[in-house]
Amino acid sequence: DAGVIQSPRHEVTEMGQEVTLRCKPISGHDYLFWYRQTMMRGLELLIYFNNNVPIDDSGMPEDRFSAKMPNASFSTLKIQPSEPRDSAVYFCASSHRLAGLYEQYFGPGTRLTVT
Amino acid sequence: SQKIEQNSEALNIQEGKTATLTCNYTNYSPAYLQWYRQDPGRGPVFLLLIRENEKEKRKERLKVTFDTTLKQSLFHITASQPADSATYLCALGQTGANNLFFGTGTRLTVIP
């Protein structure tokens, strides 16, 4: 398996622009997570899905952020409009609830810079 | 408020020694705790999971302890090697939930 795939790997955009981050989870995994990582706040959970349904979006910072999972093999995280404080590394992770083990598999991340 | 603290931002250790990393938490009742390794420019990679009813878990040179009374987990790397240099993250999970809460990480450097 190729693992969790994220695109793009790097994104540089100007304040006010729309940004879309993409994620393909590992085939067969029924949970998908979006995280944001910064030096100041560490790794923060933004939202997670189970079987394509959003379960907990309490970590989404504000209405400018939205996430979708139209099918089991694809998810997007959108920021509109983007702001400089959104600059961070965004990770997607997936997992499969098997025998009580909740190990998460992370993608390589998307480094977002908003100028 | 809930808090997960890892003992220090950075830890330097001589090759061959045992590295010990600490994860302390408050206002949580985790059912299990996980440790991840993160290399620069990469996503975290799962290492070990320990459940609340387990005191200790081992995997090769790695050992994890979990003390729910002290609200603390210790992560040991024995016979450390320069290749062990990375950031190590602890993460807490709760029964019935599949989401994790991560600590801020400790950057370990093993000096040859």
Side-chain angles (χ1 to χ4, degrees), chain B residues 44-111:
Chain B
V45 175
F46 171 81
L47 295 175
L48 281 169
L49 176 148
I50 187 166
R51 295 185 172 86
E52 60 179 336
N53 60 349
E54 298 175 317
K55 295 292 186 188
E56 184 180 295
K57 208 74 165 290
R58 291 175 184 261
K59 179 182 176 183
E60 297 172 352
R61 294 184 296 112
L62 307 180
K63 185 178 87 170
V64 173
T65 63
F66 192 10
D67 189 325
T68 55
T69 301
L70 291 178
K71 296 185 182 299
Q72 181 182 80
S73 175
L74 298 179
F75 177 79
H76 307 273
I77 305 175
T78 58
S80 58
Q81 305 167 0
D84 296 326
S85 299
T87 295
Y88 291 86
L89 302 161
C90 67
L92 276 59
Q94 295 172 307
T95 303
N98 212 41
N99 53 321
L100 295 173
F101 298 93
F102 281 84
T104 51
T106 296
R107 189 173 66 253
L108 174 69
T109 302
V110 180
I111 303 164

Side-chain angles (χ1 to χ4, degrees), chain A residues 86-100:
Chain A
D86 301 330
S87 297
V89 181
Y90 291 80
F91 287 102
C92 174
S94 69
S95 73
H96 179 58
R97 192 164 177 161
L98 178 67

Side-chain angles (χ1 to χ4, degrees), chain A residues 31 33 37 95 102-104, chain B residues 32 34 36 38 43 46 98:
Chain A
Y31 284 85
F33 306 82
Q37 188 173 43
S95 73
Y102 309 125
E103 170 185 347
Q104 293 187 13
Chain B
Y32 58 93
Q34 300 182 6
Y36 286 77
Q38 186 174 21
F46 171 81
N98 212 41

